[in-house]
Amino acid sequence: MFATKPWWRMRAMLDWPPNRAADLAKRRLDDSHSRPTETTQVIRCSSLLATWLGLTMSLLGAHSAHAQASEWPTKPLKLVVPFPPGGTSDFMGRLIAGKLAVALKQPVNVENIAGGGGVTGTLKALSQPADGYTLIQSGIGQNAVAHGMDAQVGYDSIKDFTHLTQVHSGANVLVASPKSPFKTLAELIAYGKANPGKLSYGFTHASSGHVAMELLKQSLSVCLGNAQGGRDCKGLSIVGVPYKGGGPLVAALLEGQVPMAFINQDSAYPLVKEGKLQALAVTSTSRNSLFPNVPAISEKEIPGFVAMSWSGISVSSKTPAPIAARLEAELVKIMQSPDTRQQLESKGFVIPDQGSHSYANFVDREVSRWGRVIRIAGIKPE
C-alpha cells in the first residue's frame, strides 16, 4: 500500500508543471516596458543627433570667431570723435589713433562728426557694422550728460557699448576775467549771494563745464523737494549764457562779455599763464600739477566736490568678443606705456584705472551722478 502524502505535498504535485505560458506572457509584458519601441529609438537618435550638431556648431563658431580675431584687422580702422577738430576730445582721439595704428599695423583714421553734444557722432558710429573696424570715442557729454537731458537719446550707454578702456580724466578750471570784481572762489560766492541774478557765466551746452557749474550752484544752495518729484534750490544765483563751442566761449571771456566759466585745463593753461585769464579754482579732488597755486574747490568751500572731464574708447556691444578683447589689450598696453603717461601727465591729465571692467563701472556711476544734477537743474536738450 502506498503511504498517504501530507496535504501540502499533494498541492505541490497538482501545480506541477509550472504554467510556462503565463510566465512567458509576463516576460513579454515586462520586455515591452523595458525595450524601446522603434518610434522611441528614432526620437532618441534624433535628440542625440541634435545635441551633437549643436555642440559641433558651437565649436565651429568659437573656432571661427577666434580665427576671425587672429586675422583681424585686414583693413584700416576708423575712430569717430563726436566733436570738432582742435579741442581736448580731438587731441585725445588722435593721440590714441596714432599709437593704435602702430600696434595693429593698420591705419586708424579719425573722423570728426560733431553735433548734439557728442550724440550725433555717437549715433552715426553705432549705425556702422559691429566688426571692430569702427571705434567710438566715449565721454562725459555723449555717455553721461546726454542721458540726463534726454531719456530717448537713441542709445543706452551701458547696454549698447563695450567700453574698452578710459583714456583720460582732467579737471575743469574756473576762470574769470582779470577785470572781474573777485579774485578767489570765496569772493565770487560772496559777490553772487550779495548780488542775486547779477552774476553770469558762459557755458557750452551739455559740456563738463556746464554741469560743473550746476553742481557748484546746487552744492552752495539749500534744496527742497517739490510736488513734481524734483527739487527747488535757493542760494547762489548765477545766470548762464550759452555758446556754441569752446572757441566762442573763450573769446567771450577774453572780451569781457561774460565774467567767468569752467573750461578744460588744457585750454585754460596758456591763457592763465599769459595773464589773459585768472584761475580761481579747479574741480579735481586735489590741486592740478599745471596750477599748483590754484586751490581745489574741495579744499575748503565744498569738501568732496569733483567734476572731471573724461574720455575713453568704446565699440558697439555687438562687436565679436575676441576682437573687443584684442582691442582692449592693445589699448591698455598703450595707456600703460611710459610715453603715453608722459604725454598726458605733462598736460596735467590723470591716467585712470585701465581695462573694460573699470571703465564700464565708471560710466555707469557717471550716468547716475550727472543725471541727478541735470534733473535738479532742469537742463533740457538744445
Side-chain angles (χ1 to χ4, degrees):
M1 298 292 295
F2 294 101
T4 302
K5 295 183 180 294
W7 65 270
W8 63 87
R9 296 286 299 275
M10 294 293 291
R11 178 63 182 270
M13 290 177 68
L14 290 173
D15 289 340
W16 184 264
N19 190 338
R20 297 191 179 276
D23 184 55
L24 181 60
K26 183 177 181 302
R27 290 184 182 181
R28 286 178 177 173
L29 181 61
D30 292 341
D31 288 345
S32 69
H33 291 295
S34 61
R35 186 172 62 244
T37 63
E38 183 177 349
T39 302
T40 305
Q41 288 178 326
V42 170
I43 293 173
R44 288 183 178 177
C45 287
S46 298
S47 178
L48 288 172
L49 179 61
T51 301
W52 180 82
L53 286 174
L55 180 60
T56 302
M57 293 302 293
S58 297
L59 292 173
L60 287 174
H63 176 75
S64 175
H66 284 291
Q68 183 183 12
S70 64
E71 296 170 0
W72 178 92
T74 59
K75 61 181 182 180
L77 288 76
K78 174 174 60 180
L79 171 60
V80 174
V81 173
F83 295 98
T88 303
S89 297
D90 186 60
F91 167 77
M92 295 297 170
R94 294 182 186 279
L95 174 69
I96 298 304
K99 294 178 181 295
L100 188 60
V102 174
L104 297 177
K105 298 181 174 59
Q106 286 286 352
V108 180
N109 302 313
V110 173
E111 184 174 348
N112 297 90
I113 305 177
V119 172
T120 302
T122 302
L123 285 170
K124 179 68 174 178
L126 284 173
S127 71
Q128 304 301 303
D131 52 10
Y133 287 98
T134 300
L135 311 182
I136 308 167
Q137 184 188 60
S138 41
I140 182 173
Q142 62 272 37
N143 293 103
V145 174
H147 296 292
M149 294 190 176
D150 185 1
Q152 306 299 323
V153 72
Y155 53 83
D156 186 316
S157 285
I158 307 304
K159 297 178 181 179
D160 294 336
F161 295 81
T162 296
H163 296 297
L164 301 173
T165 202
Q166 190 174 350
V167 171
H168 93 285
S169 179
N172 288 285
V173 183
L174 180 58
V175 294
S177 166
K179 300 177 182 179
S180 298
F182 37 78
K183 304 299 180 184
T184 66
L185 177 59
E187 291 178 0
L188 183 155
I189 294 171
Y191 180 91
K193 290 183 176 181
N195 300 273
K198 295 182 179 181
L199 190 60
S200 63
Y201 76 98
F203 69 91
T204 299
H205 192 76
S207 66
S208 60
H210 186 187
V211 293
M213 183 61 78
E214 291 300 329
L215 179 61
L216 177 66
K217 290 164 60 178
Q218 292 173 23
S219 300
L220 292 169
S221 302
V222 176
C223 299
L224 301 175
N226 59 33
Q228 290 73 38
R231 302 179 79 191
D232 295 325
C233 299
K234 296 181 180 180
L236 185 63
S237 176
I238 309 177
V239 179
V241 180
Y243 290 87
K244 289 296 184 181
L249 171 58
V250 170
L253 283 166
L254 295 175
E255 293 170 6
Q257 296 178 11
V258 286
M260 64 175 178
F262 276 109
I263 61 176
N264 289 346
Q265 62 182 44
D266 51 326
S267 299
Y269 179 69
L271 299 172
V272 173
K273 185 177 181 181
E274 294 170 11
K276 295 179 179 180
L277 293 174
Q278 58 176 334
L280 306 183
V282 295
T283 62
S284 47
T285 54
S286 58
R287 298 194 181 199
N288 185 275
S289 60
L290 292 183
F291 305 90
N293 298 321
V294 178
I297 295 175
S298 61
E299 283 185 29
K300 185 177 180 181
E301 278 75 19
I302 309 173
F305 185 97
V306 61
M308 306 293 279
S309 173
W310 53 266
S311 72
I313 304 297
S314 306
V315 292
S316 165
S317 59
K318 298 176 183 177
T319 303
I323 292 178
R326 169 86 186 281
L327 278 167
E328 179 190 357
E330 297 294 350
L331 288 167
V332 169
K333 288 180 186 177
I334 289 169
M335 293 306 304
Q336 291 177 340
S337 71
D339 179 59
T340 303
R341 183 173 294 276
Q342 190 278 330
Q343 286 180 281
L344 293 181
E345 290 181 347
S346 65
K347 296 182 179 296
F349 293 112
V350 175
I351 297 180
D353 292 338
Q354 292 298 298
S356 181
H357 180 73
S358 294
Y359 190 28
N361 287 338
F362 174 76
V363 172
D364 194 11
R365 294 193 300 271
E366 288 284 279
V367 169
S368 299
R369 180 171 185 250
W370 292 116
R372 178 177 177 275
V373 171
I374 290 164
R375 285 192 299 274
I376 293 173
I379 305 172
K380 302 298 181 183
E382 286 185 306

